[in-house]
Amino acid sequence: MLSKGLKRKREEEQEKETLAVDTWWLDPSLPAVAQAPPPATSSSLFDLSVLKLHHSLRQSEPDLRHLVLVVNTLRRVQASMAPEPTLPPMPSPSAAPCVADSLLASSDAALSASMASLLEDLSHIEGLSQAPQPLVDEGLPGRPAGGSPPSLGALDLLGPATGCLLDDELEGLFEDIDTSMYDSELWAPASEALKPGPEDGPGKEEALELDEAELDYLLDVLVGTQALERPPGPGR
Amino acid sequence: MFLKFSLHSMFYGAGGGNDIQWCFSQVKGAVDDDVAEADIISTVEFNHSGELLATGDKGGRVVIFQQEQENKIQSHSRGEYNVYSTFQSHEPEFDYLKSLEIEEKINKIRWLPQKNAAQFLLSTNDKTIKLWKISERDKRPEGYNLKEEDGRYRDPTTVTTLRVPVFRPMDLMVEASPRRIFANAHTYHINSISINSDYETYLSADDLRINLWHLEITDRSFNIVDIKPANMEELTEVITAAEFHPNSCNTFVYSSSKGTIRLCDMRASALCDRHSKLFEEPEDPSNRSFFSEIISSISDVKFSHSGRYMMTRDYLSVKIWDLNMENRPVETYQVHEYLRSKLCSLYENDCIFDKFECCWNGSDSVVMTGSYNNFFRMFDRNTKRDITLEASRENNKPRTVLKPRKVCASGKRKKDEISVDSLDFNKKILHTAWHPKENIIAVATTNNLYIFQDKVN
């Protein structure tokens, strides 16, 4: 095969098939088409492209040309895979159509989101010195923890370590976030427990599983203890 | 007339095939196979007279070679190129705002035409362009009244006579000094710089924008092309190369990742977002694949010296365009068509994204470009013959004629042929340059610079 290239750990057969199919699948009138399954080839190309895209997005400063070409190729592959409703049954990947579909669906969303957020970041960074505030607002809580990297990524860039002029402002902001998360952890009912706080520990997890009655009891105990230590406040 | 034609062929060469015999002349760079990252050559460029040859590397250094004056007695070969000056052009930088490191790799070098004793060149990395002055010093003043020869100041009371310092010859010293630094004008990575025929302005192009500078002014540049979409999600195309027309100071071209070339006229409007001409060849339906766009992405664009044609390099071919015809190229040369069936593997190992450059010879009759396995190709536009040669230390005896190479695409491999599967895809020739007047070429492998000349007899 081609020497010294980056090789995935796939079987030789699949690779050979991939190489061989480069030309035949272009022409659907060829008899060879009936033998090998086109979707498997397209999906391996799809996987490869998604892999490349993620690798590219993980770079601190991705090569824009490479990124754009991979994304366009991915779109082409997606477009060719989309109109496949049912596929010929295959031995092991009987779930292949479903896999392909779910891969398409989830990857598409994640893909668009990743691409969009990265490219948005690039454009935001460009206008960063002019408009820091809107950028900061987008990064505040309200987003699920899982999807945090893209827009918070830009915020990370403004972290104290980089010596940005907006240091003091941001330090204060981070403090606010910490406090609010800490507060919501203690006082929110167990059923509404959101993202885990920074001081995650076994105690916290247990607290989340308490029902309302137990929580009330705990609070009463706490209040009672505090009452022993100091005169009761007006609100309690 | 017949005689004139022969003389012309003799001086400028008729190209590949049997007309020119290319000989090894020199090789520069480290011998060992272990390539230091910083030594990877990233650009090669002759100056306007061909006397100087500049290389830039990944470590941000520029090395200039000078052709020694021809020895009138030894007329069997042209002068050799020896190191003339070495300097650190760019250093790695850190962009604190974006928390990104800026590579010091020299992307392009372009020489200014010589106006006085000094030489000037522009060198650029991803973000910053610098104008360097290279000047010679071969004499120094001696006989100061107040200073000793070593520079120490003399006690004024010991000075009893006055003398006029005189210039005395000294060993030649070549100094490089940065005269201008053009910074902070590019958000994206600079891929091209091109000096205008007015010799006062130049352009710099990154993935999405092209800026126009005046060589004297560093704090201002004009944006003349901007293809950044309002919504970055809609980004589907980037600028890959740009060049000014060699004669018309108002005209320039830029190529894209989608295989199009746009010619713009700066007289039409300040912002040249609307092209004057769009060069694009319709896709061949029989060759359509998922990789069609990637292989159509243009990696280099070069005007012919005459200014009538331009050449583009995409992954598999070199195309010559007549500026008067937009719908298709007038000539197409296949560089390594045997790779078309391997595109998937080349996509996998990212080789399909390699950016090959191309160049014209002095008379615009032959074009050259690089390939894999340290092969490079030449195409003679007149005879339609082509040749494949290899840059290798194996043929490193001066005046050894290079043996043409052949790649066997499929089937039975003949003797001396190389099969596609044995090609070394890590040995790529991305940068080549042709002397503006003579048949001398500079070919850069990963970390070595080869100089070849035609056989003079």
Side-chain angles (χ1 to χ4, degrees):
Chain A
M1 284 300 129
L2 296 171
S3 57
K4 300 185 183 81
L6 271 173
K7 287 203 178 299
R8 289 173 298 144
K9 289 182 170 45
R10 290 212 178 206
E11 316 80 53
E12 277 286 326
E13 301 85 42
Q14 180 127 20
E15 261 188 32
K16 281 184 188 144
E17 182 191 278
T18 314
L19 280 177
V21 302
D22 266 3
T23 45
W24 68 251
W25 55 255
L26 296 171
D27 189 354
S29 66
L30 289 177
V33 173
Q35 294 165 17
T41 313
S42 294
S43 78
S44 67
L45 190 57
F46 183 89
D47 293 344
L48 179 59
S49 299
V50 170
L51 207 69
K52 283 190 178 300
L53 183 62
H54 282 293
H55 178 74
S56 196
L57 290 171
R58 260 184 271 125
Q59 310 274 322
S60 52
E61 203 178 12
D63 177 355
L64 211 56
R65 172 183 165 260
H66 186 271
L67 191 65
V68 160
L69 288 174
V70 169
V71 166
N72 289 351
T73 306
L74 197 49
R75 284 190 183 129
R76 278 196 185 205
V77 175
Q78 265 186 8
S80 75
M81 286 167 79
E84 297 277 358
T86 53
L87 300 158
M90 287 168 283
S92 48
S94 54
C98 310
V99 166
D101 284 346
S102 59
L103 200 59
L104 269 170
S106 60
S107 299
D108 196 39
L111 187 74
S112 305
S114 302
M115 249 306 269
S117 55
L118 173 83
L119 294 172
E120 277 304 307
D121 278 352
L122 286 174
S123 61
H124 277 145
I125 288 162
E126 214 191 332
L128 198 56
S129 47
Q130 290 106 36
Q133 282 308 310
L135 187 65
V136 160
D137 287 343
E138 279 176 15
L140 286 175
R143 278 194 173 231
S148 58
S151 59
L152 282 179
L155 276 180
D156 292 341
L157 299 177
L158 299 173
T162 60
C164 174
L165 290 170
L166 301 168
D167 251 354
D168 298 336
E169 239 179 301
L170 288 169
E171 292 265 58
L173 268 169
F174 286 137
E175 279 170 25
D176 284 344
I177 292 170
D178 287 348
T179 310
S180 64
M181 281 166 66
Y182 180 77
D183 285 346
S184 66
E185 274 302 307
L186 267 188
W187 301 110
S191 57
E192 284 177 19
L194 296 168
K195 46 195 173 289
E199 312 86 26
D200 223 359
K204 277 273 182 291
E205 283 168 6
E206 283 166 34
L208 294 174
E209 286 167 50
L210 297 171
D211 61 21
E212 281 196 56
E214 286 178 311
L215 197 57
D216 284 344
Y217 171 70
L218 266 176
L219 290 174
D220 287 340
V221 166
L222 277 171
V223 168
T225 327
Q226 283 178 5
L228 289 174
E229 290 168 3
R230 61 169 184 260
R236 234 27 195 138
Chain B
M1 185 136 79
F2 185 74
L3 185 64
K4 228 160 103 177
F5 176 75
S6 304
L7 279 174
H8 186 273
S9 301
M10 196 170 88
F11 285 120
Y12 290 110
N18 300 326
D19 301 335
I20 277 197
Q21 289 188 297
W22 288 100
C23 306
F24 173 87
S25 175
Q26 297 170 271
V27 59
K28 310 280 188 193
V31 184
D32 30 88
D33 289 332
D34 212 12
V35 179
E37 188 91 352
D39 292 339
I40 294 173
I41 298 172
S42 49
T43 184
V44 181
E45 188 82 358
F46 278 100
N47 76 335
H48 292 256
S49 66
E51 186 205 353
L52 299 176
L53 175 60
T55 62
D57 65 25
K58 211 166 174 207
R61 288 166 305 199
V62 170
V63 180
I64 302 176
F65 301 93
Q66 183 188 40
Q67 189 180 30
E68 63 186 27
Q69 292 307 305
E70 274 180 52
N71 193 328
K72 293 291 182 279
I73 304 164
Q74 289 185 308
S75 58
H76 55 254
S77 71
R78 298 183 188 81
E80 276 200 346
Y81 282 85
N82 301 313
V83 177
Y84 177 67
S85 173
T86 305
F87 58 93
Q88 187 74 33
S89 171
H90 288 70
E91 299 272 5
E93 285 173 47
F94 195 77
D95 182 337
Y96 288 97
L97 197 61
K98 301 181 207 174
S99 198
L100 293 168
E101 198 175 280
I102 300 169
E103 261 196 349
E104 66 274 32
K105 172 167 74 84
I106 308 296
N107 293 336
K108 283 283 172 359
I109 288 173
R110 289 287 182 263
W111 289 92
L112 265 75
Q114 191 172 11
K115 281 195 286 193
N116 50 39
Q119 300 277 356
F120 288 86
L121 61 78
L122 283 176
S123 70
T124 186
N125 68 350
D126 285 339
K127 300 284 184 182
T128 305
I129 308 126
K130 295 187 184 183
L131 176 68
W132 286 89
K133 177 181 177 183
I134 298 106
S135 48
E136 292 184 0
R137 194 195 290 266
D138 62 356
K139 42 187 180 293
R140 62 156 184 244
E142 282 180 20
Y144 284 102
N145 291 292
L146 295 173
K147 268 196 292 186
E148 302 284 2
E149 290 308 321
D150 59 9
R152 278 181 305 133
Y153 280 97
R154 291 168 68 180
D155 179 358
T157 57
T158 64
V159 178
T160 53
T161 57
L162 281 179
R163 56 185 172 166
V164 177
V166 291
F167 276 105
R168 296 222 184 278
M170 60 178 258
D171 288 340
L172 180 66
M173 205 165 73
V174 182
E175 299 167 326
S177 59
R179 307 301 288 178
R180 304 271 186 280
I181 296 178
F182 305 91
N184 303 320
H186 286 279
T187 307
Y188 306 100
H189 291 178
I190 297 174
N191 52 55
S192 313
I193 46 174
S194 176
I195 299 170
N196 203 346
S197 51
D198 64 9
Y199 300 146
E200 283 187 354
T201 56
Y202 74 94
L203 63 77
S204 58
D206 66 29
D207 295 314
L208 298 178
R209 298 193 177 101
I210 302 179
N211 294 331
L212 180 71
W213 302 83
H214 192 284
L215 284 164
E216 299 289 330
I217 300 165
T218 58
D219 62 355
R220 217 180 319 151
S221 83
F222 292 98
N223 176 242
I224 51 176
V225 172
D226 188 340
I227 65 166
K228 185 183 172 201
N231 187 354
M232 280 294 263
E233 277 186 48
E234 294 161 10
L235 181 68
T236 57
E237 194 175 10
V238 298
I239 297 170
T240 53
E243 193 176 63
F244 264 120
H245 190 275
N247 307 319
S248 303
C249 58
N250 53 278
T251 306
F252 67 93
V253 293
Y254 68 93
S255 59
S256 81
S257 55
K258 283 196 170 169
T260 64
I261 310 103
R262 287 172 174 80
L263 185 140
C264 301
D265 186 335
M266 294 195 293
R267 297 170 301 189
S269 70
L271 188 60
C272 299
D273 276 359
R274 294 188 58 194
H275 54 264
S276 299
K277 293 193 185 189
L278 175 68
F279 298 84
E280 189 175 13
E281 184 173 26
E283 199 182 353
D284 179 4
S286 65
N287 272 336
R288 193 175 300 147
S289 76
F290 285 140
F291 309 108
S292 289
E293 183 180 319
I294 300 181
I295 64 169
S296 76
S297 173
I298 291 170
S299 51
D300 195 14
V301 64
K302 293 263 172 49
F303 277 105
S304 64
H305 292 90
S306 63
R308 181 162 163 212
Y309 298 98
M310 68 177 173
M311 164 168 54
T312 57
R313 175 68 156 98
D314 50 69
Y315 190 62
L316 296 178
S317 68
V318 158
K319 293 178 182 172
I320 313 282
W321 303 78
D322 184 323
L323 293 189
N324 299 314
M325 189 159 75
E326 296 166 62
N327 60 352
R328 60 176 176 81
V330 289
E331 295 155 39
T332 301
Y333 301 103
Q334 300 303 331
V335 181
H336 36 219
E337 181 69 11
Y338 45 79
L339 295 183
R340 193 180 287 275
S341 56
K342 311 284 184 195
L343 292 180
C344 201
S345 300
L346 294 165
Y347 178 65
E348 194 179 348
N349 64 16
D350 271 348
C351 279
I352 207 175
F353 298 102
D354 286 337
K355 291 185 285 184
F356 292 93
E357 290 174 10
C358 53
C359 60
W360 298 84
N361 74 339
S363 62
D364 298 336
S365 60
V366 186
V367 296
M368 170 169 66
T369 190
S371 179
Y372 294 105
N373 211 68
N374 281 348
F375 287 169
F376 58 100
R377 305 259 286 136
M378 288 185 195
F379 304 94
D380 188 321
R381 299 177 62 212
N382 298 325
T383 65
K384 300 301 180 201
R385 283 203 290 257
D386 61 84
I387 191 169
T388 304
L389 299 171
E390 184 180 358
S392 154
R393 283 182 182 268
E394 281 173 24
N395 307 318
N396 62 357
K397 283 198 284 289
R399 295 189 299 282
T400 311
V401 176
L402 297 180
K403 202 172 77 163
R405 296 282 181 221
K406 191 133 167 55
V407 176
C408 167
S410 60
K412 210 149 161 51
R413 189 176 71 86
K414 297 197 191 75
K415 178 169 139 32
D416 285 348
E417 281 187 358
I418 297 155
S419 74
V420 184
D421 296 326
S422 344
L423 293 175
D424 188 342
F425 287 84
N426 286 326
K427 292 188 177 169
K428 30 195 128 187
I429 291 180
L430 303 173
H431 313 286
T432 58
W434 204 309
H435 190 290
K437 298 182 175 66
E438 296 171 27
N439 278 331
I440 303 174
I441 54 175
V443 172
T445 59
T446 308
N447 65 333
N448 285 169
L449 182 72
Y450 287 79
I451 299 172
F452 301 106
Q453 298 181 4
D454 67 342
K455 201 173 163 97
V456 181
N457 253 339

